Amino acid sequence: MSTESDTPFNIARVEFTSFHVHGSHQWVFVEITDDDGNTGLAELAGPGATTEIARLTAQYAERLRLSPPISESDVTSQLGLTVEELEGNRTKATTVSALRTAIADAQARRSGVSLGEFLGGQRTKSVQLYGNMNRSMLPDDDGPRDRTPEAFAAAAREAIRRGYEVVKCAPFDEVRSPFEEPGLPESARAGIKRILAVREAIGPDVSLFVDCHSRFDLDSGIALEIFLQEANVAWYEEAVDGIKQPDVMKRIRERATMDVAGAESGYGVGLFRRIIEGDVMDVVMPDIKFCGGAGEAVEIGRVLEAIAPGSVSMHSPSGPASQLASAHVTAAFGGTRPLEHAWGEVEWRPSVLEPAERIESGRIYIPDGPGLGAKLDQSTVDARGRHWTL
């Protein structure tokens, strides 16, 4: 699978860095250094990233010092964790995912190859992205942003200006199941107006994805699909939580005329394989921060793409480290769908990495160099970040 040797990975140092992005949103990174000075970088996520998840990451790293892994894929067994345990515990899954990605990055640097090559792929210059406009419209430090249909249309036009050939929106913030009446709830009407405004702004030929953030149920999810069909939506994401409610998601998929996608919080190749082989969804969306890390994500991609071509699209609405790692992963398993990019959060985002994140004309460019090809930029950490150890 990789070019690694049989040399144990001996952890010498674990460090954390966080950045306030806007509102309640932050990026949290972990750096793991071996005793030869090779440092790997990964991104943590979740409301407890700076507390509970960071503490657990440090604790697990200490356990790995006593039982060093040979491969990043050994982390789970060395920690004495089971797949079933990680499927059911997102905090543990997040921690293991970060450790595996950081160790893989460090091992790739030690081997002198890119992360994608280390995971069995070919060196790749760039990967196509689709533009998720949701982060650009979340509340910032000054409060809520404009979420009128006109604002959605303006954001969609900006996505096209930036070179994205596929646009995704999440227009249903007001909706929350269960509902008192069957059918489409009145609270969804504002979201439909936003979708129609986006479609008008981008024209008939640009693919439109809609993310529902699991705010619907069976009856309303089927009713909504009719409106999405009329708006020529190509991708229907997370009407319900397809991991917790696979039977409901499967029934929505059976009625849908567009791709049904989801499972962004899932862990491990087994879970995603069950979803695809069970006809629960057309497309699964592993997130490198939750699914088991970069190595597991590549395995998910390879296994599922062999079963159902085009069935894997990496979920990537977070910071620049997970974005870059997800690009390496997408290239390594030969992904045919564009990779998600949540653009427009803060203008200083590219400076978090050295070399700076490069996204142009709807593509992310992978830096030369071993591992990720980038590290945290110390001047940006000093100016904007908080750095600590546990």
Side-chain angles (χ1 to χ4, degrees):
M1 179 179 175
S2 70
T3 61
E4 65 190 317
S5 68
D6 57 0
T7 304
F9 186 84
N10 296 303
I11 297 175
R13 189 169 66 253
V14 179
E15 300 170 278
F16 301 91
T17 302
S18 65
F19 294 91
H20 170 73
V21 183
H22 59 67
S24 62
H25 190 211
Q26 61 182 345
W27 295 322
V28 184
F29 306 93
V30 59
E31 295 172 285
I32 297 178
T33 304
D34 70 8
D35 53 10
D36 292 322
N38 301 292
T39 299
L41 176 66
E43 195 165 336
L44 297 170
T50 58
T51 53
E52 179 185 8
I53 295 173
R55 282 197 298 270
L56 188 60
T57 302
Q59 291 169 11
Y60 280 179
E62 187 62 33
R63 287 164 59 179
L64 291 174
R65 283 192 176 103
L66 303 176
S67 182
I70 299 295
S71 164
E72 58 82 25
S73 62
D74 296 333
V75 166
T76 302
S77 60
Q78 296 298 91
L79 291 172
L81 300 171
T82 66
V83 170
E84 292 75 18
E85 188 175 2
L86 294 170
E87 283 187 8
N89 189 312
R90 185 163 175 174
T91 296
K92 291 182 180 181
T94 301
T95 300
V96 166
S97 297
L99 287 167
R100 288 186 61 180
T101 296
I103 290 173
D105 181 25
Q107 289 183 314
R109 293 174 193 269
R110 184 172 69 184
S111 299
V113 298
S114 72
L115 180 62
E117 290 174 300
F118 181 76
L119 297 173
Q122 301 294 317
R123 181 170 287 275
T124 303
K125 291 184 177 180
S126 68
V127 171
Q128 184 184 3
L129 304 170
Y130 70 81
N132 177 354
M133 52 192 255
N134 186 49
R135 296 288 187 183
S136 72
M137 306 191 74
L138 292 177
D140 59 21
D141 293 339
D142 298 321
R145 300 190 188 184
D146 184 1
R147 291 182 63 81
T148 61
E150 292 76 17
F152 269 69
R157 285 191 290 270
E158 175 62 17
I160 298 301
R161 188 194 70 79
R162 289 171 180 251
Y164 299 106
E165 297 178 0
V166 179
V167 174
K168 182 162 87 172
C169 65
F172 293 112
D173 280 11
E174 297 88 353
V175 179
R176 179 69 66 186
S177 64
F179 310 113
E180 294 182 359
E181 301 292 336
L184 194 69
E186 186 61 31
S187 56
R189 303 293 174 179
I192 291 171
K193 290 179 181 178
R194 292 168 183 143
I195 292 170
L196 293 174
V198 169
R199 171 51 73 198
E200 183 175 0
I202 64 178
D205 299 326
V206 174
S207 290
L208 175 57
F209 294 179
V210 172
D211 186 354
C212 300
H213 288 164
S214 304
R215 295 177 179 272
F216 293 84
D217 56 19
L218 174 61
D219 194 62
S220 61
I222 290 174
L224 175 62
E225 193 277 340
I226 297 170
F227 289 90
L228 300 184
Q229 185 182 152
E230 292 174 352
N232 192 25
V233 169
W235 165 293
Y236 186 9
E237 182 179 336
E238 290 280 337
V240 300
D241 186 327
I243 296 175
K244 295 180 179 178
Q245 296 181 286
D247 293 341
V248 175
M249 180 69 92
K250 182 174 182 176
R251 291 180 65 184
I252 292 173
R253 177 185 178 270
E254 289 170 348
R255 297 285 293 271
T257 57
M258 70 283 292
D259 285 335
V260 169
E264 64 195 46
S265 63
Y267 175 88
V269 65
L271 180 144
F272 290 101
R273 183 168 188 163
R274 292 196 299 272
I275 289 172
I276 292 300
E277 291 187 332
D279 295 325
V280 176
M281 304 175 199
D282 300 291
V283 183
V284 292
M285 304 176 67
D287 190 310
I288 197 169
K289 302 183 303 301
F290 312 126
C291 74
E296 190 75 12
V298 171
E299 182 70 7
I300 291 165
R302 288 186 177 138
V303 169
L304 269 64
E305 289 289 329
I307 296 170
S311 62
V312 181
S313 177
M314 293 296 293
H315 183 253
S316 183
S318 302
S322 62
Q323 185 76 56
L324 181 54
S326 296
H328 279 278
V329 165
T330 298
F333 73 73
T336 58
R337 291 182 179 269
L339 171 65
E340 182 173 22
H341 176 227
W343 59 269
E345 285 192 276
V346 286
E347 52 85 22
W348 49 266
R349 171 184 166 127
S351 71
V352 170
L353 296 182
E354 168 56 43
E357 180 182 60
R358 181 187 170 196
I359 293 177
E360 299 173 0
S361 300
R363 301 189 72 86
I364 181 170
Y365 287 82
I366 298 175
D368 292 332
L372 284 174
K375 61 183 180 179
L376 292 180
D377 181 84
Q378 191 57 51
S379 63
T380 304
V381 172
D382 293 341
R384 297 184 177 275
R386 181 172 77 88
H387 187 78
W388 76 98
T389 61
L390 290 172

